[in-house]
Amino acid sequence: MNLDAILKTVEKPSRYIGNEYNSVHKALDDISIRFGFCFADVYEIGMSHLGMKILYHLLNTAEDIYCERFFAPWVDMEEQMRAENIPLFSLETKTPAKEFDFLGFTLQYEMSYTNILNMLDLGHIPFYAKDRDEEYPIICAGGPCAYNPEPLADFIDFFMLGEGEEIMMEVMDVYHRVKQNGGKKDDFLREIVAIEGIYVPKFYDVEYHEDGTIKSFTKNDEHAPDKIKKRIIKDFDSSFAPDNIIVPFMEIVHDRIMLEIFRGCIRGCRFCQAGMIYRPVRERSPETLLSLAQRLIQNTGYEEISLSSLSTSDYTSLKELTDGLLALTEQKKIGLSLPSLRLDNFSMELMQKVQKVRKSGLTFAPEAGTQRLRDVINKNITEQDLSTAAQTAFSGGYGTIKLYFMIGLPTETEDDILGISKLADEVVSIYKHTPKEIRNKNLRVTVSVSSFVPKPFTPFQWFGQNTQGQLFEKQMLLKDAIKNRYVSYNWHDSSLSILEGVFARGDRKLSKVLVEAHRLGAKFDSWHEFFNMETWQTAFANTGIDPSFYNERERSYEEILPWDHIDIGVSKAFLMNENEKAKRGEPTANCREKCAGCGVIPSFGGGFCG
């Protein structure tokens, strides 16, 4: 391929050249398994994903395994590749995707699904698993969206459910053995179902009622388990964490060291899928993290460290860790970022640590505009928490605050929407009452509102999503209510949220919609300049699928849900109980205050909650 000539004509050629600092290069003669790690978006988004960095370096610790990277080429590059008949290729060796043993996709968001098909198409690989014989790679997938694998079940040979650090190497061991013994793809698939966390869709049949709901979900192979239980790493402190991550030539979205301090969440927000599927909480010790941070600084030269978790301020040794990190970073002018801070434990001490090297804006997430609705969603913060956090921030010299909210939440009323505007006004009032000699000269409060999407394995998984018309009315109601000149208002395209809702709770019938949408040109759907709802409406019409069946309809507790064969450790009874408590506006205490009996302790053997 005349890649050099093409790269001179495209935007951001460093997306495709590879050879970055700390990227892995191996002699192909010594390799028995070639694994292509695929991220179905552009390089700068994929290279910001921590999971990719972990599994890339983990796989490459094995001498006979070579993990290489694939990203979705931007439209200018794709145009050139199709014109020159250049197949999708890896960054490390520029090898066509079709020549790999495995292609593994990480499923981070539903709106990447058409990019998965586009990458397979660019690789000259059939979409449907049934159409791929031994000459094609085995296609696998994991990540948060894999917890409802059904919309992609016809395309993927197997899914890995849960944390991949252990499961991945076990899968590779089985493949190596099957390959040495001359086994075929089906032999491999029948062997790996014995590994906890593996789901092979072809080993299960789905029957439907006349109304479109699921009648039965049954296995058709005796080797397959009745239920697929997610995999977790119990001893997170000793789990694999790379200390030599790739340093890109170009700026990426999260261009910094990401230090993963713990997994899971104690909070139990009822809208939050991550808070349920990543349970239980498991922490890394400050000693492990400080040692890792020191090696990462030495091996990358990055000038910022960001603490990664679902709720950073819930880390039990946060003071010890941040003190230790500042001792490492302050003299070297390395910034320390503490995202995911909660309003109810934001302090002057934390704020001062954040701005030791450089000051940026602060982001808080009240999520809802009234206490009633915050109790419904179990956010467990109050207006006083927001007032205290804002006062602390303004007293410390901050002038830029972002506030995140959702609209379309269960039981939401007009008063809840208008409450968002009132909270923003209250933040402005707190600034004005802060003494001029200590406050920032400039104030900017940004209200950012997204549309709620019900997700599997949450207490709201049975809830009917708002229609696009309802969401638009609420967006405009809030727009008209915000009059304060210090407050700016951003909202997301509700049509994108509608489509996300369809695929979040979809079933296998949606595979033909994805193929049709791809045929009509859908790709990069999470990018506003490419998303076209009319394309999707045509795809649904052409395939005879009604999207409202998947997102607007309220489910009964008796209905078989497309993901009911997946076991995340959190019981369905707990989710039902939380849904009923939400309807009554009753909050649930966080895991450290009182165990709510979610099911994780008996499911995984205990020893880690709190």
Side-chain angles (χ1 to χ4, degrees):
M1 73 176 75
N2 189 11
L3 186 58
D4 290 342
I6 290 175
L7 291 179
K8 294 176 182 178
T9 69
V10 300
E11 177 188 356
K12 300 182 181 178
S14 52
R15 287 168 168 161
Y16 315 104
I17 60 177
N19 290 308
E20 310 98 318
Y21 187 63
N22 288 333
S23 59
V24 177
H25 301 275
K26 296 185 177 184
L28 293 179
D29 291 342
D30 301 329
I31 302 303
S32 61
I33 300 175
R34 299 190 69 181
F35 190 100
F37 193 106
C38 303
F39 197 98
D41 213 317
V42 287
Y43 174 92
E44 54 265 41
I45 293 179
M47 282 302 297
S48 299
H49 176 52
L50 181 59
M52 191 218 71
K53 299 175 185 183
I54 294 171
L55 293 178
Y56 173 83
H57 288 286
L58 173 65
L59 284 165
N60 280 318
T61 60
E63 292 183 1
D64 64 338
I65 300 174
Y66 193 6
C67 179
E68 302 180 49
R69 294 164 294 152
F70 291 84
F71 301 99
W74 194 241
V75 288
D76 56 351
M77 184 64 173
E78 180 188 338
E79 184 179 334
Q80 295 273 23
M81 291 169 66
R82 291 192 184 277
E84 299 293 329
N85 197 30
I86 297 172
L88 184 71
F89 57 85
S90 65
L91 260 63
E92 279 71 12
T93 62
K94 308 300 183 286
T95 302
K98 190 178 175 182
E99 297 181 18
F100 279 70
D101 296 293
F102 292 90
L103 295 178
F105 287 89
T106 179
L107 309 178
Q108 294 300 309
Y109 35 88
E110 292 85 357
M111 302 316 298
S112 69
Y113 289 175
T114 50
N115 273 12
I116 294 173
L117 296 187
N118 201 45
M119 290 174 73
L120 292 177
D121 188 46
L122 280 167
H124 304 158
I125 298 169
F127 295 151
Y128 288 99
K130 63 182 176 59
D131 297 331
R132 297 193 296 266
D133 58 21
E134 301 299 321
E135 71 171 293
Y136 293 103
I138 296 169
I139 310 298
C140 58
C145 292
Y147 285 101
N148 178 20
E150 293 308 287
L152 297 175
D154 289 342
F155 310 132
I156 305 297
D157 291 307
F158 72 93
F159 291 86
M160 289 176 277
L161 301 172
E163 295 162 343
E165 287 94 331
E166 290 179 341
I167 190 172
M168 180 69 81
M169 301 312 288
E170 292 178 16
V171 168
M172 294 300 104
D173 288 342
V174 171
Y175 181 75
H176 189 270
R177 185 177 68 252
V178 171
K179 186 178 180 180
Q180 280 190 324
N181 293 334
K184 302 296 185 182
K185 186 184 294 186
D186 277 358
D187 300 318
F188 166 72
L189 293 175
R190 285 195 173 90
E191 284 211 33
I192 61 170
V193 292
I195 299 173
E196 189 172 80
I198 295 294
Y199 170 49
V200 179
K202 68 180 289 183
F203 293 159
Y204 300 83
D205 294 323
V206 186
E207 289 188 57
Y208 298 92
H209 293 291
E210 285 188 11
D211 64 359
T213 58
I214 294 175
K215 180 179 181 180
S216 65
F217 189 97
T218 54
K219 65 180 184 180
N220 57 42
D221 190 287
E222 62 180 358
H223 298 87
D226 294 317
K227 203 152 192 171
I228 301 91
K229 186 177 181 180
K230 80 171 182 184
R231 189 70 169 269
I232 69 163
I233 295 172
K234 290 187 177 181
D235 183 7
F236 187 52
D237 195 42
S238 61
S239 65
F240 178 82
D243 59 10
N244 57 340
I245 59 173
I246 296 172
V247 182
F249 292 126
M250 64 178 289
E251 184 177 353
I252 60 176
V253 176
H254 299 300
D255 210 10
R256 60 186 74 98
I257 291 169
M258 286 186 286
L259 206 60
E260 190 178 17
I261 59 177
F262 69 87
R263 287 187 188 167
C265 186
I266 65 170
R267 295 293 172 171
C269 297
R270 292 171 181 142
F271 58 85
C272 181
Q273 186 186 47
M276 297 295 169
I277 63 176
Y278 292 129
R279 288 186 178 205
V281 169
R282 292 141 294 147
E283 294 189 343
R284 281 199 173 109
S285 68
E287 295 78 17
T288 298
L289 291 166
L290 290 170
S291 175
L292 177 60
Q294 189 164 21
R295 298 195 304 274
L296 282 164
I297 292 169
Q298 291 170 348
N299 294 339
T300 66
Y302 270 121
E303 297 179 345
E304 183 179 354
I305 294 178
S306 177
L307 302 188
S308 173
S309 72
L310 291 176
S311 182
T312 298
S313 45
D314 285 329
Y315 180 62
T316 54
S317 303
L318 187 60
K319 183 182 188 306
E320 181 183 349
L321 175 62
T322 50
D323 286 346
L325 287 173
L326 287 173
L328 282 176
T329 60
E330 191 175 356
Q331 189 174 359
K332 297 178 181 179
K333 300 298 180 184
I334 296 173
L336 179 61
S337 172
L338 305 179
S340 305
L341 294 174
R342 281 181 59 90
L343 285 165
D344 53 353
N345 50 16
F346 178 75
S347 66
M348 180 69 76
E349 181 184 11
L350 268 180
M351 184 188 64
Q352 289 171 343
K353 288 177 179 179
V354 171
Q355 59 182 336
K356 276 272 187 176
V357 174
R358 62 181 67 94
K359 183 188 294 186
S360 58
L362 290 172
T363 300
F364 298 119
E367 307 292 2
T370 63
Q371 191 60 48
R372 184 201 70 81
L373 192 52
R374 285 192 292 275
D375 288 343
V376 168
I377 65 175
N378 204 44
K379 185 63 181 178
N380 279 331
I381 59 169
T382 65
E383 186 172 335
Q384 184 58 51
D385 293 326
L386 175 59
S387 299
T388 301
Q391 180 63 64
T392 301
F394 294 142
S395 298
Y398 279 87
T400 301
I401 289 183
K402 291 183 180 179
L403 302 174
Y404 279 112
F405 298 90
M406 287 185 288
I407 59 169
L409 289 162
T411 78
E412 187 176 65
T413 67
E414 187 174 298
D415 287 341
D416 299 314
I417 302 294
L418 298 177
I420 296 173
S421 176
K422 293 175 182 176
L423 281 181
D425 287 342
E426 176 62 23
V427 170
V428 173
S429 176
I430 291 169
Y431 169 84
K432 290 182 176 180
H433 284 89
T434 303
K436 291 183 179 180
E437 59 270 21
I438 62 172
R439 75 187 189 195
N440 194 291
K441 293 181 180 179
N442 300 304
L443 172 65
R444 185 172 65 203
V445 177
T446 301
V447 169
S448 183
V449 175
S450 63
S451 299
F452 170 63
V453 178
K455 291 293 180 86
F457 297 110
T458 68
F460 293 152
Q461 66 180 1
W462 295 279
F463 176 68
Q465 186 180 8
N466 280 186
T467 66
Q468 187 172 351
Q470 289 171 326
L471 292 171
F472 181 75
E473 286 179 7
K474 292 176 179 182
Q475 289 169 340
M476 293 305 101
L477 175 66
L478 182 55
K479 182 174 181 286
D480 292 340
I482 294 177
K483 306 291 187 184
N484 199 307
R485 66 186 181 91
Y486 295 104
V487 179
S488 59
Y489 170 45
N490 300 325
W491 66 93
H492 299 177
D493 184 352
S494 60
S495 58
L496 196 65
S497 300
I498 294 297
L499 195 58
E500 181 184 338
V502 171
F503 286 100
R505 295 188 289 172
D507 56 29
R508 293 189 184 187
K509 290 180 285 187
L510 289 178
S511 63
K512 59 184 179 181
V513 179
L514 284 166
V515 172
E516 179 65 5
H518 173 266
R519 188 187 71 80
L520 294 169
K523 60 188 169 188
F524 287 112
D525 293 297
S526 58
W527 295 72
H528 68 87
E529 61 263 50
F530 294 107
F531 177 67
N532 187 331
M533 192 61 176
E534 291 182 4
T535 296
W536 282 97
Q537 289 169 339
T538 302
F540 282 111
N542 290 352
T543 54
I545 299 289
D546 178 10
S548 65
F549 173 82
Y550 295 102
N551 61 346
E552 295 176 17
R553 181 176 59 88
E554 186 168 340
R555 283 97 169 136
S556 71
Y557 291 146
E558 291 73 35
E559 180 177 334
I560 297 175
L561 303 174
W563 52 91
D564 274 349
H565 56 291
I566 308 294
D567 178 11
I568 66 163
V570 175
S571 72
K572 199 170 185 179
F574 169 76
L575 296 177
M576 289 178 184
N577 186 50
E578 284 295 291
N579 190 36
E580 292 301 316
K581 290 179 73 175
K583 293 173 183 177
R584 300 191 297 268
E586 295 177 14
T588 297
N590 74 62
C591 298
R592 289 190 183 132
E593 290 180 6
K594 183 181 179 182
C595 177
C598 73
V600 160
I601 290 178
S603 184
F604 293 110
F608 34 61
C609 284

